[in-house]
Amino acid sequence: MSKPCNAEELQNYTTESHIPKEKQSGATNNIYNENTNQNSSQISVESSPKIENHPHDQSSASNVDSVPDGGFLAWLQVVGAFFLFFNTWGIINSYGAYQTYYEEDLLMSSDSSAISWIGSIQSFLIMFIGAGTGPLYDAGYFRALIITGTALVVFGHMMLSLCTVYWQVLLAQGFCIAIGSGALFLPGVAILSTYFTTKISFAVGIAASGSSIGGVVYPVIFRELQPKIGFAWTVRVTGFILLATLLVSNAVMKVRVLPAGRRKIVDWSAFKELPYTLFNLGSFLSFMGLYTPFYYIQLFAIDQHITSSGSGLAFYLLAIINAASTFGRIIPNFLADKTGPFNMMVPCALISSILILCLLSITKLGPLLAFCVLYGFFSGSFVSLMPSILVLLSPNPSLVGTRMGMSFSMVAIGLLIGTPIAGAILNDHGFGAVWIYGGIFTAAGSGVVFLARNFRVRWRIISKT
């Protein structure tokens, strides 16, 4: 039971509670009038002042004032997200090395199109499942997602080391590793928006560069170790590296705030907005062709006798593309905060399409190396700018995750069918037709993205968007 208070204490209480001075005496008299039948030395206060929390007192991802926008803990999240990208998209960007090995050795009885389905399913599932994990992240299951993803990615590699036939590789690499990667991908993107505001594009660019660096490291590891210790132990070593680096993410990443409410899985009203719809269509078309060099550049160099399979240089072409992509993910993202992400993405996509078509006339090693450097830079820019544009196209901050998930799902379909189509074209018509296919689809996508940009700014030529 609370201790009774006397009149003098009551006066002090009302003053400390910030009751206006002119109302304090009236408030005191009212209480005395209500308690005239009780002992005058004791006053029972039946209700206390209610203090309402101001909305800005609560941390929120959408409350800009509460977001640290830097600091040691915030940059630790960038480190953790970097390793999530390193071990998800980095593995997928390395698939070209596996594609070449499978066609020349392990799965030589399967054609290019069938083998490319393994990598396509990986790319599809990381985006599609990544979009579906959004509600789980919003519900507070961040820790469960990255632990589950880590376990599946590592387990998938250990199983891949035991595979000898196509269906086993498809299950281990195409599904198990991809499902684990999907569980890791979206948390790596979503958590950064709760730690950064004005520096968000730069932070995402640094984290996304992990996919490019992973695409450099893992093909080199595969190339160097596979002839010495065999396919099985090479994949196991990769699995151990994955485990060690993903443990860093598990150790340092921490949810700062959760959304105020669970987000929608689909926001159908978004498709009534022409810029958003056109941007998704453009991204879908671009991703149909964008990854053809990643999958087939090594085979192209060997088939056209630009390099020999024994020289080893062909296996490093993919690593060169991914190394250049590291700079393509950081520098344009830094500039996008000043020029606008649309204004950076459109020219990068168009240049990427032109570069793919340039492969039609490349017959020497020097031009091929120049292509790898330039294509890595500009294609990396296209991929890394997508999240910034989706934030720009979401007027309601609470729907950013929803719209990003919807967009990822549509892009995932382009990734799923794009390279197998290229593989089928390769089997029937050769590499020239593959580059025409990839270049035209990427160019068409860049044109549609340009339309999305213009509809958003109402066809103003000079506009930061």
Side-chain angles (χ1 to χ4, degrees):
M1 181 180 293
S2 62
K3 179 181 177 180
C5 60
N6 56 34
E8 183 178 354
E9 291 173 338
L10 175 65
Q11 186 175 6
N12 291 335
Y13 172 76
T14 57
T15 303
E16 293 172 356
S17 300
H18 306 289
I19 296 178
K21 186 175 180 180
E22 63 272 14
K23 294 184 180 180
Q24 287 179 14
S25 59
T28 304
N29 291 335
N30 288 340
I31 294 176
Y32 270 105
N33 291 335
E34 291 172 3
N35 293 280
T36 53
N37 295 330
Q38 298 182 8
N39 190 322
S40 62
S41 64
Q42 293 184 348
I43 299 176
S44 173
V45 181
E46 306 231 346
S47 62
S48 59
K50 294 182 179 179
I51 301 174
E52 296 182 359
N53 291 327
H54 193 275
H56 289 288
D57 292 336
Q58 298 178 346
S59 294
S60 169
S62 60
N63 180 3
V64 175
D65 294 333
S66 72
V67 179
D69 200 32
F72 180 72
L73 184 60
W75 288 108
L76 271 183
Q77 308 313 302
V78 176
V79 172
F82 172 90
F83 283 117
L84 292 185
F85 276 92
F86 182 83
N87 293 308
T88 53
W89 281 106
I91 290 293
I92 288 173
N93 288 342
S94 304
Y95 185 73
Y98 288 89
Q99 173 98 13
T100 303
Y101 174 75
Y102 291 157
E103 290 199 27
E104 294 185 343
D105 195 314
L106 186 66
L107 303 177
M108 64 174 62
S109 60
S110 302
D111 60 32
S112 296
S113 181
I115 293 172
S116 66
W117 271 108
I118 299 170
S120 294
I121 290 172
Q122 271 191 296
S123 301
F124 169 76
L125 287 178
I126 190 176
M127 298 286 271
F128 190 78
I129 292 179
T133 56
L136 293 176
Y137 172 85
D138 291 345
Y141 292 101
F142 169 81
R143 186 65 54 193
L145 284 171
I146 62 172
I147 290 174
T148 302
T150 299
L152 287 174
V153 168
V154 174
F155 177 74
H157 276 82
M158 297 308 167
M159 293 299 100
L160 178 61
S161 70
L162 304 175
C163 295
T164 56
V165 296
Y166 180 85
W167 68 267
Q168 294 172 344
V169 175
L170 179 64
L171 288 178
Q173 193 168 15
F175 286 94
C176 184
I177 294 173
I179 292 170
S181 298
L184 295 171
F185 170 54
L186 187 132
V189 176
I191 198 170
L192 295 181
S193 65
T194 67
Y195 282 90
F196 294 93
T197 52
T198 60
K199 301 175 183 176
I200 182 64
S201 291
F202 188 49
V204 170
I206 293 174
S209 69
S211 62
S212 301
I213 296 175
V216 173
V217 172
Y218 286 123
V220 171
I221 290 174
F222 187 86
R223 167 61 185 170
E224 293 299 319
L225 293 185
Q226 189 274 323
K228 299 174 182 176
I229 62 176
F231 174 78
W233 270 106
T234 298
V235 175
R236 290 180 194 127
V237 169
T238 301
F240 288 128
I241 295 173
L242 285 159
L243 177 61
T245 50
L246 284 172
L247 285 177
V248 175
S249 299
N250 280 265
V252 303
M253 299 189 80
K254 178 183 178 183
V255 175
R256 191 180 69 84
V257 292
L258 290 172
R262 296 185 181 183
R263 68 174 176 89
K264 300 176 181 177
I265 296 178
V266 179
D267 175 26
W268 295 110
S269 65
F271 294 110
K272 298 178 182 178
E273 300 170 16
L274 193 56
Y276 178 83
T277 302
L278 287 174
F279 176 72
N280 283 304
L281 176 60
S283 299
F284 168 81
L285 292 173
S286 293
F287 275 90
M288 287 277 291
L290 194 70
Y291 270 75
T292 50
F294 284 85
Y295 279 56
Y296 296 109
I297 193 67
Q298 294 176 330
L299 283 173
F300 169 72
I302 296 171
D303 182 75
Q304 301 299 308
H305 305 291
I306 299 174
T307 64
S308 63
S309 58
S311 68
L313 181 58
F315 289 91
Y316 289 100
L317 295 176
L318 181 60
I320 292 171
I321 291 177
N322 284 316
S325 181
T326 303
F327 300 98
R329 293 170 191 267
I330 296 176
I331 296 173
N333 274 49
F334 177 77
L335 296 175
D337 289 328
K338 299 174 176 59
T339 65
F342 263 118
N343 293 333
M344 289 299 298
M345 176 182 268
V346 172
C348 287
L350 182 60
I351 293 172
S352 295
S353 67
I354 294 172
L355 286 169
I356 296 175
L357 293 173
C358 286
L359 285 169
L360 290 167
S361 60
I362 290 179
T363 58
K364 302 293 183 181
L365 181 60
L368 183 61
L369 293 175
F371 163 83
C372 291
V373 172
L374 292 172
Y375 189 75
F377 182 87
F378 288 106
S379 64
S381 305
F382 181 90
V383 173
S384 64
L385 287 167
M386 275 191 67
S388 299
I389 289 180
L390 291 170
V391 170
L392 194 67
L393 295 177
S394 301
N396 184 349
S398 66
L399 293 175
V400 170
T402 299
R403 294 191 174 200
M404 195 173 291
M406 293 160 56
S407 181
F408 288 165
S409 297
M410 286 179 276
V411 167
I413 298 173
L415 287 169
L416 176 66
I417 64 177
T419 48
I421 291 175
I425 293 172
L426 175 62
N427 292 333
D428 294 337
H429 304 288
F431 279 103
V434 170
W435 305 139
I436 292 173
Y437 159 80
I440 289 177
F441 268 92
T442 306
S446 66
V448 178
V449 170
F450 180 64
L451 286 177
R453 180 259 183 208
N454 286 331
F455 275 108
R456 186 179 187 278
V457 299
R458 298 181 181 179
W459 297 90
R460 291 194 301 272
I461 297 176
I462 300 176
S463 179
K464 179 182 177 180
T465 186

